[in-house]
Amino acid sequence: MDKITHKVRCEQWTNIIKECLASGMPKTTWCREHGISDKSFFYWQRILREEAYLTTLENTLTPAVKENSAPTTTDFIEIKMTDQVSSADSPFKPDVVIRKGSVSIEISNTATEELLNKVGGLLHA
């Protein structure tokens, strides 16, 4: 389906879903009374939710590195270096690897938000 057709259908289904929600009726009952396939209703509800989520995500994400921006402050974080273990011997499998210059940071998906914020601050420097 081309972008224009998709946009028109999204607008139509947005209005249908809003009307259904405003009725206060159960969705399947409302669909039956309005001659709408409940499978189509729930399909478009899922599509519109996914698109809304992705739009929100795109609008809230900030780039990791801002172009042409000079850092105003510098924060330092102590990172204790351990003996390097070859990756073949290590059970650790990083979910994210960030490289900047000669520095490589490997992060697990169990990293805390505080740690990620500190690492993010380093990348802006």
Side-chain angles (χ1 to χ4, degrees), residues 78-114:
E78 180 182 352
I79 300 177
K80 296 181 181 179
M81 301 298 286
T82 58
D83 292 335
Q84 295 233 343
V85 178
S86 76
S87 59
D89 298 337
S90 173
F92 177 74
K93 301 290 184 225
D95 295 301
V96 176
V97 177
I98 301 171
R99 291 183 180 87
K100 185 172 183 181
S102 63
V103 176
S104 176
I105 301 172
E106 298 180 351
I107 302 174
S108 162
N109 65 359
T110 58
T112 65
E113 183 178 353
E114 179 184 5

Side-chain angles (χ1 to χ4, degrees), residues 1-122:
M1 153 178 5
D2 65 20
K3 289 183 180 182
I4 294 173
T5 303
H6 181 76
K7 183 177 179 181
V8 169
R9 287 189 181 167
C10 284
E11 290 173 4
Q12 290 172 338
W13 278 98
T14 297
N15 292 332
I16 290 169
I17 292 168
K18 284 181 180 178
E19 187 179 331
C20 173
L21 295 175
S23 74
M25 297 172 61
K27 293 173 185 173
T28 52
T29 304
W30 187 90
C31 287
R32 195 175 321 114
E33 287 187 7
H34 288 83
I36 296 172
S37 161
D38 59 341
K39 289 182 181 181
S40 293
F41 180 92
F42 290 110
Y43 168 82
W44 279 100
Q45 180 178 327
R46 180 176 52 83
I47 295 298
L48 293 171
R49 282 181 177 168
E50 288 172 359
E51 288 186 10
Y53 171 75
L54 291 174
T55 300
T56 302
L57 195 60
E58 289 171 1
N59 292 337
T60 57
L61 288 180
T62 55
V65 178
K66 295 180 182 176
E67 293 182 24
N68 301 325
S69 65
T72 55
T73 62
T74 304
D75 293 328
F76 292 93
I77 302 171
E78 180 182 352
I79 300 177
K80 296 181 181 179
M81 301 298 286
T82 58
D83 292 335
Q84 295 233 343
V85 178
S86 76
S87 59
D89 298 337
S90 173
F92 177 74
K93 301 290 184 225
D95 295 301
V96 176
V97 177
I98 301 171
R99 291 183 180 87
K100 185 172 183 181
S102 63
V103 176
S104 176
I105 301 172
E106 298 180 351
I107 302 174
S108 162
N109 65 359
T110 58
T112 65
E113 183 178 353
E114 179 184 5
L115 176 62
L116 293 175
N117 286 334
K118 288 180 180 180
V119 169
L122 287 174

